[in-house]
Amino acid sequence: MTDARRIAVYAGSFDPLHSGHLDIVDRCRPIFDEVLVAVLHNPEKKALFTTEERIEMIGETLADRPDCQVTSFSGLLVDFMDQVGARTVVRGLRAVSDFEYEFQMTLMNRRLNPRVETVFMMPREDYSYLSSRLVKEVCKLGGDVSGLLPANVLERLKERFATDEKG
Ligand code: PNS
């Protein structure tokens, strides 16, 4: 039996969402009825932005994309998939170095819930080296990261580091 609506769940930490992430969202849109960006809420993991801040920023970025939504989840991704009635997890694959971790997660998720399938998308080449960690580091040290983040996220990132410097 197939689901009526094809929902892509694009899961990740998104601390913060960068242009490579957005590129993946846009690649999903012609293929799925809905793209649900699912931000992992993990209070044990130190993050620059709270889950609420990340959701707010992603919501702003996706405001002109009516088929895209954002929410958070905690616990197992495969359980969240059942909760929202979705069966496709989307993950971005930038380079061979991403493969091993993704391979392990995919097979574990499959074992936990065989109904869930993971699909991989390659971002635009210009973004293939991008990561949230790198963008944060460069921005914190005063480097130019414009074009590598949606404009609203760039603004928030600069604000955050300016506030941090003031203490
Ligand atoms: O952007 P990230 O940090 O690479 O995303 C990883 C994420 C959130 C997709 C993964 O850690 C996850 O699904 N966590 C939820 C807990 C879970 O289901 N763990 C088992 C994975 S096999």
Side-chain angles (χ1 to χ4, degrees):
M1 201 183 86
T2 52
D3 293 327
R5 280 180 67 73
R6 296 196 176 271
I7 305 172
V9 171
Y10 183 25
S13 301
F14 305 110
D15 183 40
L17 180 108
H18 56 64
S19 300
H21 292 135
L22 191 57
D23 183 72
I24 298 287
V25 168
D26 284 334
R27 280 173 202 284
C28 290
R29 294 181 65 204
I31 305 171
F32 296 93
D33 297 315
E34 185 182 329
V35 183
L36 180 59
V37 178
V39 180
L40 176 65
H41 176 63
N42 181 1
E44 280 160 34
K45 197 170 162 191
K46 204 173 168 293
L48 182 64
F49 293 102
T50 65
T51 308
E52 293 71 29
E53 286 172 328
R54 281 179 262 168
I55 288 178
E56 194 190 342
M57 284 188 279
I58 295 168
E60 287 164 9
T61 305
L62 300 180
D64 60 348
R65 294 167 172 82
D67 51 333
C68 301
Q69 312 293 327
V70 59
T71 190
S72 65
F73 75 102
S74 51
L76 287 175
L77 175 58
V78 289
D79 291 342
F80 173 74
M81 298 296 289
D82 280 344
Q83 283 161 28
V84 295
R87 55 187 306 168
T88 312
V89 171
V90 169
R91 295 281 293 168
L93 204 56
R94 293 164 297 189
V96 177
S97 51
D98 284 339
F99 179 77
E100 197 167 336
Y101 172 57
E102 296 298 335
F103 183 73
Q104 289 174 340
M105 273 207 304
T106 298
L107 295 189
M108 180 60 86
N109 281 336
R110 184 180 289 167
R111 183 196 148 106
L112 292 169
N113 187 344
R115 193 178 160 274
V116 169
E117 212 48 84
T118 305
V119 302
F120 294 95
M121 296 218 176
M122 283 73 178
R124 212 169 94 181
E125 303 89 282
D126 323 32
Y127 301 142
S128 61
Y129 64 95
L130 263 190
S131 70
S132 298
R133 185 191 59 77
L134 207 56
V135 165
K136 284 184 282 193
E137 182 180 320
V138 171
C139 186
K140 188 175 184 180
L141 298 173
D144 180 12
V145 290
S146 51
L148 303 182
L149 299 156
N152 66 312
V153 179
L154 177 63
E155 206 175 302
R156 292 282 275 270
L157 195 60
K158 285 182 176 168
E159 260 172 39
R160 178 56 46 94
F161 288 131
T163 316
D164 283 358
E165 263 174 33
K166 282 187 210 145

